[in-house]
């Protein structure tokens, strides 16, 4: 149905794709896998009309040569792409965002038919199982709900022949993901080709018919899923065996309390929260999406002000007024779960994004930032974290997801924070990068840094954390000692904490 032959793409200094040939079939879910920077995003942008391949590359749609000159042409021909970074209009309604490219008007007056707009939008909200009013402003939705709106927008196209889904389950609960898979199975039966991109290999093994794997811009294999297992997929992706060390062992100084939170409350965001973080500790925050972990983190960093309670840092009551104040006075940093919106300035350079947290430290008496010091700091972090970029002046928005995440953490390492809140640090990055970040977080704790690790990835949090606090409905509902690092034992305890709290609050 869709065939790519000898597709290459060259950017200044980088060959992003190198002679890639893949044949996609109708009525199948075809997984496209690879590490960050392997070429997946570039290939998707060629299929969807954002980029043109080099001259030797050919695309065939339904056995006919097909030259895609724009995203509009791709959409017109039934090639629909869901991208995680697709921007929504925050002040517009859910219905407007879903229907923005197909707004119906009343025949007689020519004005927008709002009743029809909301009716059609609701049909797609019901399809994906999102229970919000079509008239709700996007700004009122949480991250997971926005993700579902993006999915609804992709599915609302009336002429879908090829549906490309790039990390569609990021931010979704398991229940929401399973509901999405049921929709995909239905679309597959209707003859639609689904190209599915995900770093969650368990999902790929569950729903894919065939798999193509890219590595360093080349397609290293295309095969039926029945001929592959998780280990084989990882080996093709990273070119070696996965590091399966079960645990990371670090030393926690229980005599040194670096952060104490007492009876912290913020209406609708945190209720009577109490916990202690020790020097060198990795403290896990686990819970379902929307359980209140990120909301608490944003209170701790000064993004939101709390109504009552106390925050004590290094034995002294803290007066947290802003994010800048939290960093400059209390040496506390926050690695955002939404790196594109909150963690990075995508339109600015690698150098600026890394050095921004230390500008006040490297400025002269007139407040002018030293370019030489800025360069030195940025280059050091690029080398330390093995960031793949063309240079200090490359725009961060042009980097792969894994390298963007490295930039996000580089700025906090540059600031030499003592406490780092890492919010979903491995969402949307590949197996190799996940290994890297696990080791990085562990090494920071060995250096005496204290880490709050917010993660919805249960294996990851059990692998890394010393203790795990369980969140539900904006409260801490339990604490699990994770010293055994035994997955079966700890996962049962976590699940029991969440389910018991729900029973109590029925």
């Amino acid at each position: 149905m869709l065939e790519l032959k000898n597709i290459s793409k060259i950017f200044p200094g980088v060959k992003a794709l190198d002679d890639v040939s893949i044949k996609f079939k109708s009525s199948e879910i075809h997984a496209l896998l690879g590490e960050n920077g392997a070429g997946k995003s570039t290939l998707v942008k060629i299929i969807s009309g954002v980029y043109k391949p080099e001259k030797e590359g050919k695309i065939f749609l339904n056995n006919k040569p097909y030259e895609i000159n724009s995203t509009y042409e791709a959409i017109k021909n039934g090639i629909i792409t869901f991208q995680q970074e697709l921007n929504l209009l925050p002040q517009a309604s859910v219905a407007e965002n879903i229907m923005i490219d197909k707004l119906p008007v009343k025949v007689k007056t020519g004005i927008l038919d709002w009743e029809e707009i909301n009716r059609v939008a609701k049909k797609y909200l019901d399809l994906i199982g999102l229970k919000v009013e079509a008239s709700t402003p996007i700004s009122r939705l949480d991250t997971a709900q926005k993700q579902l709106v993006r999915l609804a927008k992709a599915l609302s196209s009336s002429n879908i022949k090829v549906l490309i889904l790039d990390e569609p389950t990021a931010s979704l609960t398991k229940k929401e993901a399973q509901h999405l898979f049921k929709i995909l199975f239905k679309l597959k039966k209707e003859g639609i080709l689904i190209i599915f991109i995900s770093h969650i290999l368990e999902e790929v093994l569950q729903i894919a018919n065939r798999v193509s794997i890219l590595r360093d811009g080349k397609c290293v294999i295309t095969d039926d899923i029945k001929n592959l297992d998780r280990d084989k997929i990882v080996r093709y992706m990273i070119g070696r065996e996965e590091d399966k060390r079960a645990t990371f062992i670090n030393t926690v100084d229980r005599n040194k309390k670096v952060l104490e939170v007492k009876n912290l409350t913020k209406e609708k965001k945190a209720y009577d929260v109490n916990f202690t973080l020790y020097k060198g500790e990795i403290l896990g925050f686990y819970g379902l999406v929307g359980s209140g972990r990120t909301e608490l983190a944003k209170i701790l960093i000064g993004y939101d002000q709390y109504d009552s309670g106390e925050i004590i840092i290094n034995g002294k009551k803290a007066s947290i007024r802003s994010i800048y104040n939290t960093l400059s006075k209390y040496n506390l940093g926050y690695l955002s779960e939404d790196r594109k919106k909150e963690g990075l300035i995508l339109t600015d350079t690698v150098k600026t994004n890394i050095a921004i947290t230390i500008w006040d430290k490297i400025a002269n008496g007139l407040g002018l930032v030293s370019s030489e010091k800025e360069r030195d700091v940025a280059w050091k972090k690029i080398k330390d974290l093995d960031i793949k970029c063309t240079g200090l002046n490359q725009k961060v928005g042009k980097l792969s997801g894994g390298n963007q995440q490295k930039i996000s953490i580089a700025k906090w390492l540059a600031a030499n924070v003592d406490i780092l809140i890492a919010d979903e640090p491995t969402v949307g990055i590949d197996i190799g990068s996940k290994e890297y970040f696990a080791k990085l977080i562990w090494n920071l704790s060995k250096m005496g840094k204290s880490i709050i690790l917010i993660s919805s990835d249960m294996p990851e949090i059990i692998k890394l954390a010393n203790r795990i606090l369980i969140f539900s409905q904006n409260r801490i509902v339990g604490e699990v000692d994770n010293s055994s690092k035994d997955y079966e034992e700890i996962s049962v305890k976590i699940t029991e904490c969440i389910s018991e709290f729900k029973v109590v609050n029925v």
Side-chain angles (χ1 to χ4, degrees):
M1 188 226 182
L2 177 67
E3 186 175 2
L4 311 178
K5 282 189 175 181
N6 311 115
I7 300 295
S8 295
K9 185 63 183 176
I10 299 171
F11 297 106
V14 179
K15 193 167 191 177
L17 290 173
D18 187 0
D19 198 33
V20 171
S21 296
I22 303 174
K23 186 179 286 187
F24 300 96
K25 302 174 183 177
S26 59
S27 301
E28 77 166 359
I29 299 176
H30 193 126
L32 183 62
L33 305 179
E35 291 193 273
N36 291 110
K40 303 186 302 298
S41 294
T42 303
L43 191 63
V44 165
K45 286 176 179 177
I46 286 174
I47 296 171
S48 58
V50 177
Y51 296 151
K52 292 180 73 68
E54 304 304 322
K55 290 182 180 179
E56 68 273 15
K58 303 294 180 186
I59 300 175
F60 296 86
L61 186 63
N62 293 324
N63 298 317
K64 296 178 181 178
Y66 182 52
E67 186 174 338
I68 306 172
N69 295 306
S70 68
T71 54
Y72 175 75
E73 275 190 30
I75 293 169
K76 195 175 176 182
N77 284 277
I79 299 174
I80 309 300
T81 304
F82 164 87
Q83 292 178 316
Q84 199 181 161
E85 65 267 24
L86 175 68
N87 289 326
L88 297 172
L89 302 173
Q91 301 308 318
S93 70
V94 169
E96 288 171 294
N97 274 274
I98 292 173
M99 302 290 292
I100 189 71
D101 55 344
K102 44 192 168 290
L103 294 169
V105 296
K106 293 181 179 180
V107 177
K108 291 183 179 180
T109 62
I111 64 174
L112 291 175
D113 188 340
W114 287 105
E115 186 177 338
E116 181 67 5
I117 290 169
N118 287 317
R119 186 192 68 78
V120 176
K122 187 179 185 306
K123 182 175 77 171
Y124 292 102
L125 292 173
D126 291 342
L127 176 64
I128 61 170
L130 179 55
K131 293 178 172 58
V132 299
E133 292 295 326
S135 58
T136 305
I138 285 291
S139 58
R140 294 184 187 173
L141 303 187
D142 63 26
T143 303
Q145 290 172 324
K146 288 175 183 175
Q147 186 83 328
L148 289 170
V149 171
R150 293 184 182 100
L151 284 169
K153 178 174 172 55
L155 295 172
S156 68
S157 299
S158 59
N159 182 36
I160 303 178
K161 293 185 178 71
V162 179
L163 179 60
I164 305 171
L165 298 173
D166 189 356
E167 298 289 348
T169 62
S171 304
L172 300 188
T173 65
K174 286 186 179 180
K175 184 178 179 181
E176 289 165 339
Q178 292 304 315
H179 181 72
L180 170 64
F181 297 158
K182 288 179 183 177
I183 297 171
L184 299 187
F185 290 140
K186 182 183 176 184
L187 294 174
K188 183 178 76 168
K189 286 181 180 178
E190 294 173 359
I192 294 170
L193 161 64
I194 298 158
I195 300 175
F196 185 81
I197 302 169
S198 177
H199 291 304
I200 304 174
L201 300 186
E202 290 73 19
E203 293 180 350
V204 172
L205 292 166
Q206 178 185 347
I207 70 168
N209 303 108
R210 291 197 303 147
V211 177
S212 292
I213 300 174
L214 301 182
R215 188 172 74 237
D216 298 328
K218 297 177 182 289
C219 183
V220 295
I221 188 172
T222 295
D223 204 350
D224 292 341
I225 195 69
K226 64 184 180 183
N227 299 325
L228 299 167
D229 58 24
R230 191 182 190 282
D231 289 344
K232 285 181 181 177
I233 290 173
V234 171
R235 192 159 59 247
Y236 280 119
M237 282 175 62
I238 66 178
R240 56 179 171 79
E241 298 292 336
E242 182 182 3
D243 184 357
K244 290 189 175 180
R245 287 186 302 169
T247 59
F248 291 101
I249 307 300
N250 59 328
T251 302
V252 178
D253 185 354
R254 296 280 178 175
N255 295 316
K256 178 65 173 175
K257 297 177 182 180
V258 297
L259 174 65
E260 296 174 80
V261 173
K262 296 182 177 181
N263 307 117
L264 197 70
T265 295
K266 169 73 173 177
E267 186 65 26
K268 296 183 180 180
K269 295 190 175 182
Y271 294 100
D272 197 29
V273 172
N274 293 273
F275 72 89
T276 300
L277 175 68
Y278 298 96
K279 183 178 175 64
E281 182 177 32
I282 301 173
L283 179 63
F285 282 10
Y286 184 83
L288 302 178
V289 174
S291 59
R293 298 163 301 160
T294 296
E295 289 83 350
L296 176 59
K298 289 186 174 181
I299 293 170
L300 295 177
I301 64 168
Y303 181 87
D304 279 325
Q305 299 300 307
Y306 53 94
D307 299 328
S308 60
E310 285 186 318
I311 298 174
I312 299 169
I313 297 177
N314 293 320
K316 296 180 180 179
K317 185 175 178 178
S319 176
I320 294 175
R321 298 187 301 275
S322 66
I323 296 172
Y324 174 76
N325 165 252
T326 305
L327 171 61
S328 60
K329 188 173 181 180
Y330 300 108
N331 225 14
L332 190 156
Y334 173 61
L335 184 64
S336 172
E337 66 170 336
D338 189 346
R339 62 175 176 262
K340 292 179 181 293
K341 183 179 177 183
E342 299 176 347
L344 297 168
I345 308 170
L346 296 177
T347 56
D348 218 322
T349 64
V350 168
K351 178 181 70 174
T352 295
N353 274 273
I354 292 175
I356 193 169
T357 55
I358 58 165
W359 278 351
D360 59 340
K361 296 179 182 178
I362 61 175
N364 61 23
L366 298 174
L368 299 175
V369 174
S370 166
S371 295
E372 185 178 349
K373 289 179 181 177
E374 197 178 27
R375 282 196 305 271
D376 290 345
V377 169
W379 270 124
K380 185 176 188 309
K381 295 309 169 191
I382 287 170
K383 291 175 183 176
D384 289 349
L385 300 183
D386 191 26
I387 297 168
K388 299 292 191 298
C389 61
T390 58
L392 291 177
N393 293 319
Q394 184 175 10
K395 297 292 189 285
V396 168
K398 299 294 185 182
L399 301 179
S400 69
N403 284 302
Q404 286 181 352
Q405 193 69 326
K406 287 181 180 181
I407 297 288
S408 292
I409 202 166
K411 70 179 184 181
W412 297 115
L413 296 181
N416 196 29
V417 294
D418 294 323
I419 302 169
L420 178 65
I421 303 173
D423 195 348
E424 301 287 5
T426 62
V427 165
I429 61 175
D430 58 77
I431 291 289
S433 295
K434 282 188 177 184
E435 281 186 20
Y436 177 89
F437 279 107
K439 290 175 183 174
L440 179 59
I441 288 168
W442 180 59
N443 284 331
L444 287 173
S445 74
K446 283 182 68 180
M447 292 163 55
K449 307 296 184 184
S450 301
I451 313 292
I452 292 176
L453 174 63
I454 301 174
S455 179
S456 301
D457 184 335
M458 196 179 290
E460 174 179 81
I461 208 163
I462 291 174
K463 184 176 184 178
L464 284 169
N466 301 105
R467 290 181 298 136
I468 302 170
L469 301 182
I470 317 303
F471 283 70
S472 184
Q473 297 178 33
N474 303 92
R475 297 164 171 84
I476 295 175
V477 299
E479 178 180 325
V480 175
D481 177 12
N482 192 36
S483 54
S484 71
K485 304 274 176 105
D486 182 287
Y487 181 80
E488 289 189 10
E489 172 200 340
I490 304 302
S491 61
V492 168
K493 288 182 178 179
I494 290 173
T495 305
E496 285 176 350
C497 278
I498 295 173
S499 61
E500 285 174 7
F501 180 77
K502 285 183 176 178
V503 170
V504 170
N505 286 272
V506 169

